[in-house]
Amino acid sequence: MSTVLLHVASVSKSFGGVEANRDISLTVNEGSIVGLIGPNGSGKTTLFNSIVGYHPVDTGSIRFQNKEITRLLVPDIARLGLLRTFQQTRIYGKMSCIQNMQISMPLEEHTLRSVFKALPKKDMQEIEDMLAFVGLHSKRHLLAGDLSFGQQKLLEFAMALIAGPKLLLLDEPTAGINPTLINGLIDRLKVANQELGITLLIIEHNMRVMMNITDHIYCLAHGTLLAEGSPEDIQNNQTVIDAYLGAH
Amino acid sequence: MFDNFMILFDAPVFSIDLLVNGMLIGAIFVLAAYGMALVWGVMNIINVAQGEFVMLGGYVTLVVVKLGLNPLFGIPISALVLYAIGWLMYRSVIYRVVDRDVFTSLLATFGISILLAQLTNQVFGANVQTIDTGLGTWYFMNGDVTVAIIKVIAFVLAVFLGLVLWLFLKKSRTGQAIRATSQNPRAARILGIDTHRIYATTYSVSAALCGAAGSLVVMAWAVHPYIGLPYTVRSFMVVIIAGLGNLPGVIMAGLGLGVAENFAGFILGTEFQIAFVFLLMIAVLVWRNFALRRQRKYLK
Amino acid sequence: MKIYHYIILLLALAAPFLLPDYRTQLAFLWVMIILALSWDILGGQMGYNSFGNIIFFGIGMYTCAVFQRDAGLSYYPALLLGMGLGGIVAMLSAVILGNALLGMRGHYFSIGTLGLSIAAGELAGGWDFIGAGSGMTTPMFPGALGDRDIFFYFLFFAWTLVTFITLRWLYRSRFGLAINAIRDNEDKAEAMGIYTTRYKVVAWIISALFLGVIGGGAGNIIGFIDPKEVAFSGSTFGVWMILMAITGGKGTLWGPVIGATVFHITQELFWTLLLGWQRVALGLLIVLIVLFFPEGILGWLRQRYPQRFAANSIKPDQAS
């Protein structure tokens, strides 16, 4: 089980004069859970944006399932099975939770007919199960915009899961979530990885979560790759500790 | 249409006439665009009623002349009256939409635009009106190039007003507060700037600027109740070509638009001049959008 | 079908016989409803406020009139084919314009469409083939005057039914959810793999079809096509459609219908009392509604009585 799913090779990205990412390479193996850590402003979200095609990279290449995706557009990449969630949660606020899930269901075939026909009833069971899985079943008829921030985060997670991605990029999944619910979220991430077979690449500041679930961690600082290794290695790596605590 | 095009080759001197007069009216576009950019940049509102302020400025000057005053007095009076109207608009409508989504403000200012245009139509009638300042005309090159003196005055005043506003924003206390608010309204509020007062000032100053511009328009050209929307669209176009906060760009784009419009009016016939303005705006939008799409799609 | 559907249907069928003096106005009610419904596809459901949808109304009107003038057919086939052709030409325009304009977001699109509708009126006013500034006259109705109104009433009613039922079906399909998603968060929709531009263009094409067809009919019931005052009349129909949709409640299926009905009745009853100040009142009305009543009648009812008015367009899973 060490097929490479995502391969980022020497990616650089600048905004004006600011180098947000410089020569970053990382690899995500199929079936793994990989963590991406680093102090605020170290370029983690920029890297996510580059991977999903939100903005073009300056140099370097990104391959997903051995397919060059560097130049593809956002929806094309999403349809290959590479999805992301947002740090500032994005859901469809004026639609009910169920509608949010319905539009996230992948189409079996992309024909005009399937777009214009009535929504298939058979999807409902799957949607309700998924909402129950993240603990939103009782809220399913509410407008997504009326949910609390943490609930919206869970909804966005459920939307990503039901879309059936091969690789899911999660941008700070536990930020803003009630600490007592974090253990539940860790379990759900594990279930998503093991039972649904979704490979995960996670940005997270909560080290307890990262140590608990990841197989491998990359650490960014000032736009460059500072260190990589197993959670234990990273935990004991002096440069990583310095970067986080601000030593020079 | 083709004949007119050939005239420009046979008698190049006409081109100079079109060029000079185009730049003169372009100065008015620069003023209106500056007003729009101010409101847009500071309040994040695209003020569809911007052109109506220009139109109203013209009508205020008409009233001033009817009262027996020299039309040149119309310029400061129009600016003052429009400042007051802008302030009223802000206090009654705009402050309710300034923090809401851009559609709400767009629709609300669209409503104001209709309201002002139709109100003017009811009060003053739909006729084209102008003021003869009696200042005469300069003739150059055996009379092939004619420049009304009032147009030159309008140009000079437009440049002057633009400079005054630019200095006001750069140097004055209020101007600094306006710039701070445009960059980050929340931070400005925390630092003790009364942002609603700043917004009111911004909106009123922008209206006053357009009022002065309108006063120049009625003297050098003409006004009727429905010239507002074309001015809004011209301002919008100038701002999207130049970008927000780019004063040299606004000047270049405004003058360029004046020239382009004058040539188009000559070649296509004046009945298509307004259509040209609107189609040009769409072309500019599509071109800008295309450029942005390329940026997202391809690597640089 | 629910009981109120039958009641409305029955009322619609009986109206021209109950109120024989108002047949023209009643026929025009359907035009207004279609204007509001088709604006709401983009403005309400997709969150793209178009200020220029009137362009498709005008295109349909001119296409139909030119076809009637030049095709050499007798009245009825010329009218019906002309209306159909009007819809097709409007759709084709929407394909071209949509690809050019709908790549832009929100307010750029709004201003762009505003410019488009005015440019269309100016161009039509200078084009001799369609009568330029002096406009076009549509052919005389061959039958009696009373029959004419009945004919147009039921013709427009039929097209309104087609429009309404089509939209009802669309809003319950994946298409409806997709354009709602675009309204709520277009970036998210793209990130989830939805080709948003395609959906946006298709939505505009559908809107153009309904407008183009009814434009052809409306030109005939008015009898005279003026480029700026009838066909591309930004200051009347063009603004009305926005106002009606918002008044009734944008983003809902019934909202535009309710809004158009309320507006049309109000207009017919009270508008003449304003003695020429109608258009001033229109501007004021837009400002007031946007400021104080942005949710519209249906939106307000929904907030007041969520149980009774949470319409099935919000919960397609519960609709049958």
Side-chain angles (χ1 to χ4, degrees), chain B residues 186-224:
Chain B
R186 274 181 67 193
R189 221 167 291 151
I190 290 165
L191 292 172
I193 294 172
D194 180 353
T195 49
H196 268 296
R197 203 179 61 81
I198 291 300
Y199 286 152
T201 310
T202 307
Y203 197 78
S204 314
V205 165
S206 148
L209 200 63
C210 289
S215 180
L216 299 171
V217 169
V218 73
M219 285 187 267
W221 293 273
V223 294
H224 60 85

Side-chain angles (χ1 to χ4, degrees), chain A residues 54 74-76 78-79 83-84 86 90-96 98-99 102-105 107 114-119 121 124 141 156 159-160 163, chain C residues 169-170 172-178 180-185 187-196 198-199 202 206 313-319:
Chain A
Y54 194 71
V74 172
D76 297 319
R79 287 201 176 180
L83 287 184
R84 60 91 58 95
F86 291 86
R90 291 187 185 174
I91 39 92
Y92 309 122
K94 289 189 177 145
M95 295 161 71
S96 72
I98 287 189
Q99 286 177 313
Q102 279 176 315
I103 189 62
S104 304
M105 289 284 287
L107 279 175
S114 60
V115 169
F116 287 116
K117 75 178 183 196
L119 293 159
K121 282 264 181 288
M124 280 314 292
H141 291 304
E156 194 186 20
M159 285 159 69
Chain C
W169 156 64
L170 277 181
R172 288 174 182 190
S173 70
R174 189 179 170 89
F175 179 82
L177 285 181
N180 285 165
I182 289 169
R183 173 194 64 197
D184 285 358
N185 197 328
D187 283 335
K188 175 71 177 172
E190 278 205 320
M192 294 298 286
I194 297 173
Y195 290 124
T196 53
R198 262 181 230 177
Y199 279 97
V202 171
I206 293 168
S313 63
I314 272 218
K315 293 182 193 168
D317 55 297
Q318 293 184 332

Side-chain angles (χ1 to χ4, degrees), chain B:
Chain B
M1 175 176 143
F2 199 67
D3 296 340
N4 287 347
F5 194 64
M6 291 318 288
I7 289 175
L8 291 182
F9 282 98
D10 296 340
V13 68
F14 277 120
S15 301
I16 299 175
D17 185 69
L18 291 171
L19 187 75
V20 170
N21 280 296
M23 282 180 51
L24 293 177
I25 189 149
I28 304 288
F29 300 165
V30 172
L31 268 194
Y34 202 14
M36 174 173 263
L38 196 61
V39 171
W40 192 346
V42 176
M43 304 161 76
N44 196 23
I45 285 178
I46 295 173
N47 185 20
V48 184
Q50 201 76 38
E52 267 68 26
F53 293 151
V54 175
M55 181 270 294
L56 282 180
Y59 278 91
V60 171
T61 307
L62 275 172
V63 172
V64 167
V65 170
K66 276 205 185 109
L67 293 176
L69 290 167
N70 187 303
L72 289 178
F73 283 115
I75 300 168
I77 295 176
S78 294
L80 277 178
V81 171
L82 262 292
Y83 187 93
I85 292 178
W87 195 84
L88 267 178
M89 283 295 158
Y90 181 80
R91 282 296 162 194
S92 56
V93 179
I94 305 296
Y95 91 96
R96 294 176 205 272
V97 298
V98 76
D99 291 327
R100 281 162 65 181
D101 60 318
V102 76
F103 285 134
T104 311
S105 55
L106 203 62
L107 269 173
T109 53
F110 185 49
I112 295 177
S113 153
I114 295 171
L115 180 68
L116 293 177
Q118 301 294 350
L119 202 61
T120 312
N121 184 28
Q122 281 299 308
V123 177
F124 294 97
N127 292 336
V128 177
Q129 307 211 36
T130 184
I131 294 171
D132 185 9
T133 50
L135 286 173
T137 309
W138 283 330
Y139 297 93
F140 302 95
M141 306 199 183
N142 305 326
D144 283 336
V145 176
T146 58
V147 178
I149 294 170
I150 182 65
K151 291 188 184 177
V152 178
I153 296 176
F155 183 85
V156 172
L157 273 175
V159 172
F160 173 73
L161 282 173
L163 271 176
V164 168
L165 183 64
W166 180 74
L167 275 176
F168 166 74
L169 286 178
K170 276 276 182 246
K171 301 286 176 199
S172 78
R173 204 64 195 142
T174 314
Q176 286 172 345
I178 287 176
R179 286 189 294 135
T181 309
S182 82
Q183 280 174 21
N184 191 336
R186 274 181 67 193
R189 221 167 291 151
I190 290 165
L191 292 172
I193 294 172
D194 180 353
T195 49
H196 268 296
R197 203 179 61 81
I198 291 300
Y199 286 152
T201 310
T202 307
Y203 197 78
S204 314
V205 165
S206 148
L209 200 63
C210 289
S215 180
L216 299 171
V217 169
V218 73
M219 285 187 267
W221 293 273
V223 294
H224 60 85
Y226 303 115
I227 59 160
L229 214 46
Y231 272 95
T232 301
V233 163
R234 286 172 184 132
S235 313
F236 183 74
M237 187 169 14
V238 168
V239 176
I240 51 178
I241 292 173
L244 283 173
N246 175 4
L247 186 57
V250 167
I251 293 171
M252 293 305 293
L255 297 182
L257 176 63
V259 173
E261 222 180 86
N262 237 16
F263 272 93
F266 182 75
I267 294 169
L268 304 172
T270 41
E271 71 268 30
F272 285 114
Q273 191 166 342
I274 295 294
F276 171 78
V277 173
F278 287 85
L279 290 176
L280 185 66
M281 176 197 66
I282 294 161
V284 166
L285 274 176
V286 170
W287 161 68
R288 287 286 295 183
N289 192 52
F290 187 69
L292 284 174
R293 258 202 224 167
R294 278 175 68 96
Q295 234 175 29
R296 197 184 251 195
K297 197 169 181 177
Y298 301 113
L299 303 172
K300 264 172 93 179

